[in-house]
Amino acid sequence: MVAVIFWLISKLSSTIIPSSNPTSTSSSLPNKPSLINLGTRILVKVQTSPEKSDGVKAFGEKDFSTAVEKFTTSLKNNPNDPETLIYLNNAKIARDNSETLKVAVIAPFNFDANLAEEILRGVAQAQNEVNHQGGINGKKLQVVIASVENQEDFPKLDNELVDDKSFVATVGVRQDAPVYNQKGLVLVFPVERPTQAENPNNLEQNSANSQQNTDKNNYLFHINPLYKNLVDTHARYIARQARNIAICSDYLRSVNNSTSSSNPVLVEQYSQALEKYGSKVISTPCNLADKNFDPKAFVDKAIETENANGFLLIPSIRNIYFASKVGQEIKGRKPLFASEIMYSATTLQNGKDVEGMVLPVYWHRDANKNNPFAENAFQLWNARVNQRTAGAYDAMQVIITGLKRDNTREGLQKVLSNPDFSTSGATGMIMFSPSGERQGEALLVKVERCERCSSGTGYDFALLNKK
């Protein structure tokens, strides 16, 4: 009887092992959503409409003509939805049975929904443009959206992407990037990040900057200059304006009741760069994450006790509002600066509190007025886009340009690694060092009052000279 029971268990277990179909858009595990999909799941929950839901349902049923119709209607009602545009293009490809080249975009919806949408806009715009032009040497660009619900699923997602040979490239921000290099799948970073945003408790590495690779067969490429270059440009400017700098950042209270910074890498980078250029970082503490934080007490103490003559705000995205309250207390008394994190519409909503604040950015729509990207993006999305969307668009331009020369994984890597490789994008001319880095300095922008500006807040980020 025992033998029979074990035999039955083994037979039952064998029936629930998922089949290994790398191009499947739905998982065979019960009640477990797939980590990748072409158009069968809605990830942008706030953009849901009946037409979009009907399109996703039709896509899942392989009724691609209906999917095209429903997605088209959904976009007419809500043009600022990149997920629907990607699904529409994928549905057209399936309906027409077109030859394809498949690229994955990792969208961190459950960790930073705004960043995920911003990246998708750049990817969708690039996919839409190249497919309307006939594709890549006659093959249409198919985009698969990859996402996870929790931190533990990232290794599974990484392995699923690198092991699926139908993918020729990936766009996204990942902490565990070496697996892409080891297994030979190009990963292009559309943005640079100073800390491990997906897991702020893991503080020993810098997620973007730790991805540097010296292997001659490097598969990792950065669209923007590394974050340390951005910090250096900003620190040099700050040091010319003020000598005693008060830094206001976030702190987390750990389980043993000790205090640790949620973005120590960025704070340390700024501190070192400011000191290099002759400024001093004062010791007055500022914790934006403290529920009892008093902006007025911090500002008054920094000025009166340590003669602070400049303030630098380095908040996490979730604390931009509280950082703006510090600016409100400064009220023009001292120069105000902020990290790139505050290059956000949320900042402009509180523009009166931070007017005059200077921060570094990778891209600004006025930096190259002859570049059509910003205008094309506005016409497509009926809204202005930011530097994260520009970075994602350029990540796709790099991949598209490379695939036109060689559409294999290994061939694409060789094309992008060639010292003669270059392509034009929203952020200018793009070329890579042997380690996949892009050289260059940051731009500086200043929060200024404006009339009839498209932000709708009465304030905007005005481009400064890089002197």
CSV table of all heavy atoms in Angstrom, one decimal, residues 19-52:
chain,number,residue,atom,x,y,z
A,19,SER,N,4.9,23.4,-18.2
A,19,SER,CA,5.6,23.1,-19.5
A,19,SER,C,6.5,24.3,-19.8
A,19,SER,O,6.2,25.4,-19.4
A,19,SER,CB,4.6,23.0,-20.7
A,19,SER,OG,3.8,24.2,-20.8
A,20,SER,N,7.6,24.0,-20.4
A,20,SER,CA,8.6,25.1,-20.7
A,20,SER,C,8.4,25.7,-22.0
A,20,SER,O,9.1,25.3,-23.0
A,20,SER,CB,10.0,24.5,-20.6
A,20,SER,OG,10.2,23.4,-21.4
A,21,ASN,N,7.4,26.6,-22.1
A,21,ASN,CA,7.2,27.3,-23.4
A,21,ASN,C,7.7,28.7,-23.2
A,21,ASN,O,7.0,29.5,-22.6
A,21,ASN,CB,5.7,27.3,-23.7
A,21,ASN,CG,5.4,28.0,-25.0
A,21,ASN,OD1,6.3,28.5,-25.7
A,21,ASN,ND2,4.1,28.0,-25.4
A,22,PRO,N,8.8,29.1,-23.7
A,22,PRO,CA,9.4,30.4,-23.4
A,22,PRO,C,8.6,31.5,-24.0
A,22,PRO,O,8.8,32.7,-23.6
A,22,PRO,CB,10.8,30.3,-24.0
A,22,PRO,CG,10.7,29.3,-25.1
A,22,PRO,CD,9.7,28.3,-24.6
A,23,THR,N,7.8,31.3,-25.0
A,23,THR,CA,7.1,32.4,-25.6
A,23,THR,C,5.6,32.5,-25.1
A,23,THR,O,4.9,33.3,-25.5
A,23,THR,CB,7.0,32.3,-27.1
A,23,THR,OG1,6.4,31.0,-27.5
A,23,THR,CG2,8.4,32.2,-27.7
A,24,SER,N,5.3,31.7,-24.1
A,24,SER,CA,3.9,31.8,-23.6
A,24,SER,C,3.7,33.1,-22.9
A,24,SER,O,4.6,33.6,-22.2
A,24,SER,CB,3.7,30.6,-22.6
A,24,SER,OG,2.5,30.7,-22.0
A,25,THR,N,2.5,33.6,-23.0
A,25,THR,CA,2.2,34.9,-22.4
A,25,THR,C,1.4,34.7,-21.1
A,25,THR,O,1.0,35.6,-20.4
A,25,THR,CB,1.3,35.8,-23.3
A,25,THR,OG1,0.1,35.1,-23.6
A,25,THR,CG2,2.1,36.1,-24.5
A,26,SER,N,1.2,33.4,-20.6
A,26,SER,CA,0.6,33.2,-19.4
A,26,SER,C,1.2,32.0,-18.7
A,26,SER,O,1.6,31.1,-19.3
A,26,SER,CB,-0.9,32.9,-19.6
A,26,SER,OG,-1.1,31.8,-20.4
A,27,SER,N,1.3,32.1,-17.4
A,27,SER,CA,2.0,31.0,-16.6
A,27,SER,C,1.1,29.8,-16.5
A,27,SER,O,-0.1,29.9,-16.5
A,27,SER,CB,2.3,31.5,-15.2
A,27,SER,OG,2.9,30.5,-14.5
A,28,SER,N,1.7,28.6,-16.5
A,28,SER,CA,0.9,27.4,-16.3
A,28,SER,C,0.7,27.1,-14.9
A,28,SER,O,0.1,26.1,-14.5
A,28,SER,CB,1.6,26.2,-17.1
A,28,SER,OG,3.0,26.2,-16.7
A,29,LEU,N,1.3,27.8,-14.0
A,29,LEU,CA,1.1,27.6,-12.6
A,29,LEU,C,-0.2,28.2,-12.2
A,29,LEU,O,-0.5,29.3,-12.5
A,29,LEU,CB,2.2,28.3,-11.7
A,29,LEU,CG,3.6,27.7,-11.8
A,29,LEU,CD1,4.6,28.6,-11.1
A,29,LEU,CD2,3.6,26.3,-11.2
A,30,PRO,N,-1.1,27.5,-11.5
A,30,PRO,CA,-2.4,27.9,-11.1
A,30,PRO,C,-2.3,29.2,-10.2
A,30,PRO,O,-1.5,29.2,-9.3
A,30,PRO,CB,-3.0,26.7,-10.4
A,30,PRO,CG,-1.9,25.9,-9.9
A,30,PRO,CD,-0.8,26.1,-10.9
A,31,ASN,N,-3.1,30.2,-10.5
A,31,ASN,CA,-3.2,31.4,-9.7
A,31,ASN,C,-1.9,32.1,-9.6
A,31,ASN,O,-1.7,32.9,-8.7
A,31,ASN,CB,-3.7,31.0,-8.3
A,31,ASN,CG,-5.1,30.3,-8.3
A,31,ASN,OD1,-6.0,30.7,-9.1
A,31,ASN,ND2,-5.2,29.3,-7.4
A,32,LYS,N,-1.0,31.9,-10.5
A,32,LYS,CA,0.3,32.6,-10.5
A,32,LYS,C,0.4,33.4,-11.8
A,32,LYS,O,0.7,32.8,-12.8
A,32,LYS,CB,1.4,31.6,-10.3
A,32,LYS,CG,2.8,32.3,-10.3
A,32,LYS,CD,3.0,33.1,-9.0
A,32,LYS,CE,4.4,33.6,-8.9
A,32,LYS,NZ,4.7,34.4,-7.7
A,33,PRO,N,0.3,34.7,-11.8
A,33,PRO,CA,0.4,35.4,-13.0
A,33,PRO,C,1.8,35.3,-13.6
A,33,PRO,O,2.8,35.2,-12.9
A,33,PRO,CB,0.1,36.9,-12.6
A,33,PRO,CG,0.4,36.9,-11.2
A,33,PRO,CD,0.1,35.6,-10.6
A,34,SER,N,1.8,35.4,-15.0
A,34,SER,CA,3.1,35.3,-15.7
A,34,SER,C,3.9,36.6,-15.4
A,34,SER,O,3.4,37.6,-15.1
A,34,SER,CB,2.8,35.2,-17.2
A,34,SER,OG,4.0,35.3,-17.9
A,35,LEU,N,5.2,36.4,-15.4
A,35,LEU,CA,6.2,37.5,-15.2
A,35,LEU,C,6.3,38.3,-16.5
A,35,LEU,O,6.8,39.4,-16.4
A,35,LEU,CB,7.5,37.0,-14.7
A,35,LEU,CG,7.5,36.2,-13.4
A,35,LEU,CD1,8.9,35.8,-13.0
A,35,LEU,CD2,6.9,37.0,-12.3
A,36,ILE,N,6.0,37.7,-17.6
A,36,ILE,CA,6.1,38.4,-18.9
A,36,ILE,C,4.8,38.3,-19.7
A,36,ILE,O,4.1,37.3,-19.5
A,36,ILE,CB,7.3,37.9,-19.7
A,36,ILE,CG1,7.1,36.4,-20.1
A,36,ILE,CG2,8.6,38.1,-19.0
A,36,ILE,CD1,8.1,35.9,-21.1
A,37,ASN,N,4.5,39.3,-20.4
A,37,ASN,CA,3.3,39.2,-21.3
A,37,ASN,C,3.3,40.2,-22.4
A,37,ASN,O,3.9,41.2,-22.4
A,37,ASN,CB,2.0,39.5,-20.4
A,37,ASN,CG,1.7,40.9,-20.2
A,37,ASN,OD1,0.9,41.5,-20.9
A,37,ASN,ND2,2.4,41.5,-19.2
A,38,LEU,N,2.6,39.8,-23.5
A,38,LEU,CA,2.5,40.6,-24.7
A,38,LEU,C,1.3,41.5,-24.8
A,38,LEU,O,1.3,42.5,-25.5
A,38,LEU,CB,2.5,39.7,-25.9
A,38,LEU,CG,3.8,38.9,-26.3
A,38,LEU,CD1,3.5,37.8,-27.3
A,38,LEU,CD2,4.8,39.9,-26.8
A,39,GLY,N,0.3,41.2,-24.0
A,39,GLY,CA,-1.0,42.0,-24.0
A,39,GLY,C,-2.1,41.3,-23.3
A,39,GLY,O,-3.3,41.6,-23.6
A,40,THR,N,-1.8,40.4,-22.4
A,40,THR,CA,-2.9,39.7,-21.7
A,40,THR,C,-3.1,40.1,-20.2
A,40,THR,O,-3.9,39.5,-19.6
A,40,THR,CB,-2.5,38.2,-21.7
A,40,THR,OG1,-1.3,38.0,-21.1
A,40,THR,CG2,-2.5,37.7,-23.1
A,41,ARG,N,-2.4,41.1,-19.8
A,41,ARG,CA,-2.6,41.6,-18.4
A,41,ARG,C,-2.6,43.1,-18.4
A,41,ARG,O,-1.8,43.7,-19.1
A,41,ARG,CB,-1.5,41.1,-17.5
A,41,ARG,CG,-1.5,39.6,-17.1
A,41,ARG,CD,-0.3,39.2,-16.3
A,41,ARG,NE,-0.2,40.0,-15.1
A,41,ARG,CZ,0.9,40.2,-14.4
A,41,ARG,NH1,2.0,39.7,-14.9
A,41,ARG,NH2,0.9,40.9,-13.3
A,42,ILE,N,-3.3,43.7,-17.5
A,42,ILE,CA,-3.3,45.1,-17.3
A,42,ILE,C,-2.5,45.4,-16.0
A,42,ILE,O,-2.8,45.0,-14.9
A,42,ILE,CB,-4.7,45.7,-17.1
A,42,ILE,CG1,-5.5,45.5,-18.4
A,42,ILE,CG2,-4.7,47.2,-16.7
A,42,ILE,CD1,-7.0,46.0,-18.3
A,43,LEU,N,-1.4,46.1,-16.2
A,43,LEU,CA,-0.5,46.4,-15.1
A,43,LEU,C,-0.7,47.9,-14.7
A,43,LEU,O,-0.5,48.2,-13.5
A,43,LEU,CB,1.0,46.2,-15.6
A,43,LEU,CG,1.3,44.8,-16.0
A,43,LEU,CD1,2.7,44.7,-16.5
A,43,LEU,CD2,1.2,43.9,-14.8
A,44,VAL,N,-1.0,48.8,-15.6
A,44,VAL,CA,-1.3,50.2,-15.3
A,44,VAL,C,-2.8,50.3,-14.8
A,44,VAL,O,-3.7,50.6,-15.6
A,44,VAL,CB,-1.0,51.1,-16.5
A,44,VAL,CG1,-1.2,52.5,-16.1
A,44,VAL,CG2,0.4,50.8,-17.1
A,45,LYS,N,-3.0,50.0,-13.6
A,45,LYS,CA,-4.3,49.9,-13.0
A,45,LYS,C,-5.1,51.2,-13.2
A,45,LYS,O,-6.3,51.2,-13.4
A,45,LYS,CB,-4.3,49.5,-11.6
A,45,LYS,CG,-3.5,48.2,-11.3
A,45,LYS,CD,-4.1,47.0,-12.0
A,45,LYS,CE,-3.3,45.7,-11.6
A,45,LYS,NZ,-3.8,44.6,-12.3
A,46,VAL,N,-4.5,52.4,-13.0
A,46,VAL,CA,-5.2,53.6,-13.1
A,46,VAL,C,-5.6,54.0,-14.5
A,46,VAL,O,-6.4,54.9,-14.7
A,46,VAL,CB,-4.3,54.8,-12.5
A,46,VAL,CG1,-4.0,54.6,-11.1
A,46,VAL,CG2,-3.0,54.9,-13.3
A,47,GLN,N,-5.1,53.3,-15.5
A,47,GLN,CA,-5.4,53.5,-16.9
A,47,GLN,C,-6.5,52.6,-17.4
A,47,GLN,O,-6.8,52.5,-18.6
A,47,GLN,CB,-4.2,53.4,-17.8
A,47,GLN,CG,-3.0,54.3,-17.3
A,47,GLN,CD,-3.1,55.7,-17.9
A,47,GLN,OE1,-4.2,56.1,-18.3
A,47,GLN,NE2,-2.0,56.4,-17.9
A,48,THR,N,-7.1,51.8,-16.6
A,48,THR,CA,-8.0,50.8,-17.0
A,48,THR,C,-9.3,51.4,-17.6
A,48,THR,O,-9.9,52.3,-17.0
A,48,THR,CB,-8.4,49.8,-15.9
A,48,THR,OG1,-7.2,49.2,-15.4
A,48,THR,CG2,-9.3,48.7,-16.4
A,49,SER,N,-9.8,50.8,-18.7
A,49,SER,CA,-11.1,51.2,-19.3
A,49,SER,C,-11.8,50.0,-19.8
A,49,SER,O,-11.1,48.9,-20.0
A,49,SER,CB,-10.8,52.2,-20.4
A,49,SER,OG,-10.2,51.6,-21.5
A,50,PRO,N,-13.1,50.0,-20.0
A,50,PRO,CA,-13.8,48.8,-20.6
A,50,PRO,C,-13.2,48.4,-21.9
A,50,PRO,O,-13.0,47.2,-22.1
A,50,PRO,CB,-15.2,49.3,-20.7
A,50,PRO,CG,-15.3,50.4,-19.7
A,50,PRO,CD,-14.0,51.1,-19.7
A,51,GLU,N,-12.8,49.3,-22.7
A,51,GLU,CA,-12.2,49.0,-24.0
A,51,GLU,C,-10.9,48.3,-23.9
A,51,GLU,O,-10.6,47.3,-24.6
A,51,GLU,CB,-12.1,50.2,-24.9
A,51,GLU,CG,-13.4,50.8,-25.3
A,51,GLU,CD,-14.0,51.7,-24.2
A,51,GLU,OE1,-13.2,52.0,-23.3
A,51,GLU,OE2,-15.1,52.2,-24.4
A,52,LYS,N,-10.1,48.8,-23.0
A,52,LYS,CA,-8.8,48.2,-22.7
A,52,LYS,C,-8.9,46.8,-22.2
A,52,LYS,O,-8.2,45.8,-22.6
A,52,LYS,CB,-7.9,49.0,-21.8
A,52,LYS,CG,-6.5,48.5,-21.5
A,52,LYS,CD,-5.7,49.5,-20.7
A,52,LYS,CE,-4.3,49.0,-20.4
A,52,LYS,NZ,-3.5,49.9,-19.6
